[in-house]
Amino acid sequence: MSAEHRAPQSKSPDNKVYIFDTTLRDGEQCPGASLRNHEKLLIARKLAALNVDIIEAGFPFSSPGDFESVKQIATEIQGPTICGLSRATPQDIEATWDAVRYAQKPRIHTFIGTSDIHIQAKFKKTRQEILNIARDMVALAASKCPDVEFSAEDAGRTDPFYLYKVIEAVIDAGARTVNIPDTVGYTIPDEFGRLIKGIMTNVPNIDKAIISVHCHNDLGLATANSIAGIQNGARQVECTINGIGERAGNAAMEEVVMALKVRPEYFEGIYTDIESVHFAEASKMVSELTSMPVQYNKAIVGRNAFAHESGIHQDGFLKGRSTYEIMMPEWIGLSESYLPLGPRSGRAAVKARLEKLGLVVQDAQMPQFFEQFKQLADEQKRVEDDDLKRLYEQILASA
Ligand code: KIV
Ligand code: ZN
């Protein structure tokens, strides 16, 4: 059934997907991306403008600088919940609480690895010991902070039956959100979706918590896995601007949010509260401050995401933009789409650019103008406005 024939969906609270931004924690963890505290504050303000639900501002125990930054963001940023990360240890949890307690809405996020690889290689403990630590540290965090999130690190490679037990225990101990990270970006969308469905079906107290997903992009599947999680019951997505994060990064917030926004009929009423018009600016800010360029063909925010190069596409776009565009550039805060002029551009795009520049080439002169344009385009690869003006003056002079 097409979108036009559907009754408008009302916004049911059960259908809201909470957006948990971790640009300042997982994003900042990636090689070369470290930020100064005043830069983190600028990004936090932009995240608040985007209307994210939760900002993971840092890892307070990891350094005095990170502690101060989380505390500053907790004190100054109004609106979103402010969260700090802690390993499942009392010192980490104390430090996180000391930093986030200044927020209107503070959250402690504590985590421990639950896959056998982590339990044996990292912790040299038994499954039962890890479950006990998870439960006890969640209880400690809940004794300080009303909002506690627990992450089962490497959940994507954890035995699901053990995972169900850990989740049940941490919910009983006071976790309001349980995060299921695909820490090493190993899972495939259908498989990850089934993991989330299994949790929704097999954990008896699951109705007392929100299930979150946190997908890494090692196989380029972070967005697809996050969407599969949502389709199977997850209602929080952890993500970053431009998808930055450990190794190949995290799910990109702009991709997850725009997928839900562009295909509402497909997702049947599932929504976020993100103000997507801030994506272009947020992407530029994060890229500049972290010195991490955005790849030109990056979905949503890449330089080419709203650029149409070939003559066939340019002609189609000029006849009706929906021929080649599935969303409006204005939705992410860009003023317009872009038709770069190059060797593959056709007459329609050249004429449209001339009109935009206020230059009138008579129909009789157009074949000659277009021939010269093509020659220049072959030589230069890109024809800019100044080049067009020069060609125009030459044509006038030769008339
Ligand atoms: O990738 C991961 O598992 C994490 C956790 C700390 C949530 O970043
Ligand atoms: Zn991560």
Side-chain angles (χ1 to χ4, degrees), residues 248-325:
N250 290 69
M253 186 200 302
E254 60 275 10
E255 294 176 14
V256 175
V257 168
M258 294 313 284
L260 297 179
K261 186 173 165 103
V262 169
R263 301 296 308 278
E265 79 291 355
Y266 189 80
F267 291 106
E268 299 187 315
I270 294 177
Y271 66 96
T272 74
D273 280 335
I274 293 296
E275 300 285 352
S276 64
V277 290
H278 298 287
F279 275 143
E281 277 185 9
S283 165
K284 191 162 175 282
M285 175 186 275
V286 168
S287 170
E288 285 173 3
L289 294 178
T290 57
S291 309
M292 291 187 68
V294 177
Q295 74 191 59
Y296 287 170
N297 62 329
K298 165 85 181 62
I300 319 294
V301 290
R303 189 176 95 166
N304 294 351
F306 292 91
H308 307 275
E309 165 85 32
S310 82
I312 295 169
H313 284 218
Q314 291 180 337
D315 183 51
F317 173 84
L318 289 165
K319 287 176 175 149
R321 60 190 309 155
S322 60
T323 51
Y324 290 106
E325 262 183 11

Side-chain angles (χ1 to χ4, degrees), residues 165-191:
K165 290 204 172 71
V166 174
I167 296 172
E168 185 181 355
V170 297
I171 295 175
D172 272 346
R176 280 205 205 159
T177 304
V178 179
N179 185 35
I180 309 301
D182 182 16
T183 301
V184 288
Y186 180 72
T187 62
I188 305 298
D190 178 56
E191 181 188 23

Side-chain angles (χ1 to χ4, degrees), residues 25-26 85 109 111 151 153-154 179 181-183 214 216 238:
R25 200 278 299 167
D26 213 321
L85 184 69
H109 176 194
F111 74 101
S151 281
E153 192 189 15
D154 205 19
N179 185 35
D182 182 16
T183 301
H214 175 117
H216 278 271
E238 302 198 357

Side-chain angles (χ1 to χ4, degrees), residues 3-74:
E4 310 86 80
H5 297 112
R6 276 181 189 279
Q9 303 274 350
S10 61
K11 284 191 165 184
S12 148
D14 290 346
N15 283 340
K16 168 160 168 159
V17 173
Y18 289 81
I19 295 295
F20 175 114
D21 178 88
T22 183
T23 306
L24 298 174
R25 200 278 299 167
D26 213 321
E28 209 239 359
Q29 239 167 270
C30 68
S34 63
L35 294 160
R36 290 183 277 263
N37 286 1
H38 71 275
E39 295 169 331
K40 291 185 189 173
L41 189 59
L42 288 176
I43 293 176
R45 287 198 188 116
K46 187 58 80 186
L47 294 171
L50 273 162
N51 204 27
V52 306
D53 299 285
I54 302 108
I55 295 176
E56 185 163 56
F59 185 173
F61 191 76
S62 67
S63 76
D66 222 26
F67 179 91
E68 278 312 316
S69 171
V70 175
K71 185 172 164 186
Q72 186 179 32
I73 290 170

Side-chain angles (χ1 to χ4, degrees), residues 189-204:
D190 178 56
E191 181 188 23
F192 191 68
R194 276 187 279 118
L195 177 64
I196 301 301
K197 193 174 189 160
I199 292 168
M200 299 301 293
T201 316
N202 291 300
V203 176

